Amino acid sequence: QVQLVESGGGLVQAGDSLRLSCVVSGRTFSNYGMAWFRQAPGKDRESVAAISWSGDNTYYADSVKGRFTISRDNARKTLYLQMNSLKPEDTAVYYCAASRSGGVYYRGYEYVYWGQGTQVTVSS
């Protein structure tokens, strides 16, 4: 059984930073491609960033390029999302997701394991 548990969300002001973490249970974390998605109220879920199993390849949505950084620590079975220069439009529930394949994918259907989400609220 694979479980993903996110943490690190909160209420911040515009311009602040947050770091989200996602701890993954299971023996094969290092084989998984991983990603962060988010969903704002009344909007569809969207991909934010993705990373390959090795960490060598990454993907970022245009809206977060230059502000967010995805990384992973395979020894700790943990995925991170460093979010800098936060904007009110970044407000959403953020989810981490794992794919059985090790590549970089930005579509939700590529991911089979999902966390419960962590709320990020950015005030103006």
Side-chain angles (χ1 to χ4, degrees):
Q1 184 74 12
V2 177
Q3 292 186 325
L4 286 67
V5 180
E6 302 99 334
S7 62
L11 172 63
V12 297
Q13 293 186 332
D16 286 349
S17 297
L18 278 176
R19 188 175 81 154
L20 305 183
S21 299
C22 173
V23 178
V24 181
S25 65
R27 295 176 294 174
T28 56
F29 172 77
S30 59
N31 294 344
Y32 299 150
M34 300 291 298
W36 290 96
F37 289 78
R38 67 186 181 187
Q39 186 166 22
K43 295 188 177 181
D44 293 335
R45 183 181 64 195
E46 63 175 351
S47 61
V48 175
I51 189 167
S52 62
W53 71 272
S54 65
D56 289 343
N57 297 300
T58 56
Y59 158 84
Y60 294 95
D62 288 343
S63 59
V64 306
K65 278 181 183 176
R67 300 188 298 122
F68 291 11
T69 303
I70 189 171
S71 62
R72 64 190 295 161
D73 185 334
N74 285 345
R76 298 179 183 271
K77 296 183 180 180
T78 303
L79 176 73
Y80 302 101
L81 185 68
Q82 178 66 45
M83 304 186 295
N84 298 329
S85 302
L86 282 161
K87 304 176 180 180
E89 51 263 44
D90 295 319
T91 295
V93 177
Y94 284 70
Y95 300 90
C96 70
S99 170
R100 290 198 186 102
S101 300
V104 176
Y105 314 104
Y106 63 90
R107 299 188 187 278
Y109 65 76
E110 298 280 0
Y111 295 88
V112 295
Y113 304 111
W114 293 81
Q116 82 289 349
T118 185
Q119 177 71 47
V120 172
T121 303
V122 184
S123 64
S124 57

